[in-house]
Amino acid sequence: ELVPYPERVAANFKAWLVEQEKRRKFTDEQRHWLEMIRDHIAANLVVERDDFEFVPFAQEGGLGKVHQVFGSELNKIIEELNGVLAA
């Protein structure tokens, strides 16, 4: 069955979030950033660190802010979302 890519990304994101929240809870701010990353991946296939310097991320504080929100977990989250959401 062919599913539009943005729908597949959204479904994969929802499943990933459920699994993650069995082990930890994301703050509202973290969820907001995760949703922006999800939307970026749905439109652009992947998200890279450089992408945080562009809209919509830049409007929210860019790479510095997302690093502040996720700390040392940022690279792991980016890597996981790029792999899981596109699957």
Side-chain angles (χ1 to χ4, degrees), residues 33 36 51-63 65:
W33 278 91
M36 286 194 303
D51 294 329
F52 292 104
E53 298 307 324
F54 302 103
V55 174
F57 305 115
Q59 296 169 320
E60 303 280 338
L63 183 59
K65 182 64 176 181

Side-chain angles (χ1 to χ4, degrees), residues 9-28:
V9 168
N12 290 348
F13 177 75
K14 186 176 180 181
W16 177 83
L17 200 55
V18 167
E19 283 302 310
Q20 291 297 307
E21 291 194 333
K22 289 178 182 177
R23 296 184 294 268
R24 67 187 231 182
K25 296 291 181 199
F26 291 108
T27 66
D28 289 343

Side-chain angles (χ1 to χ4, degrees), residues 12-81:
N12 290 348
F13 177 75
K14 186 176 180 181
W16 177 83
L17 200 55
V18 167
E19 283 302 310
Q20 291 297 307
E21 291 194 333
K22 289 178 182 177
R23 296 184 294 268
R24 67 187 231 182
K25 296 291 181 199
F26 291 108
T27 66
D28 289 343
E29 185 176 32
Q30 287 173 325
R31 285 184 68 100
H32 174 67
W33 278 91
L34 290 170
E35 290 165 0
M36 286 194 303
I37 293 168
R38 173 202 63 203
D39 294 346
H40 185 84
I41 291 172
N44 300 285
L45 305 179
V46 298
V47 68
E48 297 176 352
R49 291 178 68 90
D50 292 345
D51 294 329
F52 292 104
E53 298 307 324
F54 302 103
V55 174
F57 305 115
Q59 296 169 320
E60 303 280 338
L63 183 59
K65 182 64 176 181
V66 74
H67 193 274
Q68 179 185 351
V69 170
F70 290 106
S72 62
E73 293 186 303
L74 178 61
N75 288 336
K76 179 182 178 209
I77 287 172
I78 290 172
E79 206 172 290
E80 274 188 39
L81 289 176

